[in-house]
Amino acid sequence: EAGVVQSPRYKIIEKKQPVAFWCNPISGHNTLYWYRQNLGQGPELLIRYENEEAVDDSQLPKDRFSAERLKGVDSTLKIQPAELGDSAVYLCASSSPEASYNEQFFGPGTRLTVL
Amino acid sequence: GQSLEQPSEVTAVEGAIVQINCTYQTSGFYGLSWYQQHDGGAPTFLSYNGLDGLEETGRFSSFLSRSDSYGYLLLQELQMKDSASYFCASGGGKLIFGQGTELSVKP
């Protein structure tokens, strides 16, 4: 069974540029999460989807961040414009209804560097 | 609010036993999970305690005491490959992670 797939793995951009991250969750996992992880910290939830519905986006900086999961499968997270403080690893995770929210499967992440 | 506290780093030798503690403050309790993350890798689920007591999975065990708002991860027969960061986490749909404990296993 394939795991959570993310692309790109690495991205370097200039500040004020836009950037997008893509995630394909494990087949059959209806819950999808985007996290941001700063160096030396634990992951912090940005947004959680149940199928195509964003059920918790309270931590998403909506002035510059947006996300979508149009068909309830893969998802895209966008930052426009990027700021220096956005440099971090962006992790996507998914979970199945049977396993609950406590057992999440993470992708390898996208390491974003904003110069 | 919700917060989880764990030591920032722990060092142990190969073959030893190490315990990583986690204390939490939560507005509601949804159980305690543990994740392992190697440098540059993805967090990987290790265990979940929904009720008090000990859960054992091979060389790893996890314990929870809800009355003490406390849990721990116990790693036995340490191997070099166990060197990683370990995170406790709790929450319902919104999983909150601790800051992580960096475990260094020395030969």
Side-chain angles (χ1 to χ4, degrees):
Chain A
E1 177 184 90
V4 176
V5 179
Q6 290 188 246
S7 68
R9 291 295 315 277
Y10 304 91
K11 189 74 176 179
I12 301 173
I13 60 172
E14 299 280 334
K15 64 181 180 182
K16 302 184 181 180
Q17 294 299 303
V19 65
F21 315 123
W22 177 81
C23 172
N24 190 264
I26 292 173
S27 178
H29 283 195
N30 61 323
T31 308
L32 182 146
Y33 315 78
W34 283 102
Y35 289 88
R36 177 169 57 191
Q37 186 174 26
N38 292 307
L39 190 65
Q41 308 278 318
E44 296 176 317
L45 182 70
L46 291 173
I47 189 168
R48 173 170 65 98
Y49 282 94
E50 296 288 349
N51 298 304
E52 64 274 9
E53 182 181 358
V55 296
D56 185 351
D57 63 356
S58 57
Q59 299 295 102
L60 191 71
K62 297 182 184 64
D63 57 335
R64 297 184 300 107
F65 286 64
S66 64
E68 60 183 18
R69 193 185 185 198
L70 294 176
K71 297 182 180 179
V73 181
D74 57 348
S75 175
T76 301
L77 177 70
K78 298 179 182 178
I79 308 174
Q80 183 171 9
E83 297 179 351
L84 295 177
D86 296 331
S87 295
V89 176
Y90 291 83
L91 295 162
C92 178
S94 67
S95 64
S96 69
E98 295 78 27
S100 87
Y101 306 110
N102 297 287
E103 183 176 359
Q104 298 181 18
F105 295 81
F106 284 81
T110 297
R111 184 176 297 273
L112 174 68
T113 302
V114 182
L115 302 175
Chain B
Q2 200 156 312
S3 67
L4 297 98
E5 299 288 330
Q6 51 182 130
S8 59
E9 54 184 41
V10 172
T11 301
V13 297
E14 231 178 341
I17 299 172
V18 73
Q19 179 173 312
I20 300 173
N21 299 320
C22 175
T23 56
Y24 59 85
Q25 290 184 328
T26 57
S27 53
F29 184 69
Y30 304 92
L32 195 67
S33 299
W34 289 92
Y35 285 77
Q36 177 192 61
Q37 186 177 30
H38 286 99
D39 215 20
T44 303
F45 174 80
L46 290 177
S47 67
Y48 169 70
N49 294 72
L51 300 173
D52 290 355
L54 192 68
E55 295 283 340
E56 298 179 74
T57 309
R59 294 187 297 114
F60 295 0
S61 303
S62 57
F63 173 82
L64 176 66
S65 169
R66 287 176 293 173
S67 61
D68 296 323
S69 298
Y70 163 76
Y72 66 73
L73 180 69
L74 190 74
L75 298 85
Q76 302 181 75
E77 300 172 22
L78 280 174
Q79 303 175 10
M80 298 295 290
K81 67 179 182 179
D82 296 329
S83 292
S85 291
Y86 293 83
F87 296 90
C88 58
S90 183
K94 184 173 182 173
L95 206 58
I96 306 295
F97 285 78
Q99 300 279 61
T101 298
E102 186 174 351
L103 172 63
S104 298
V105 181
K106 306 294 185 186

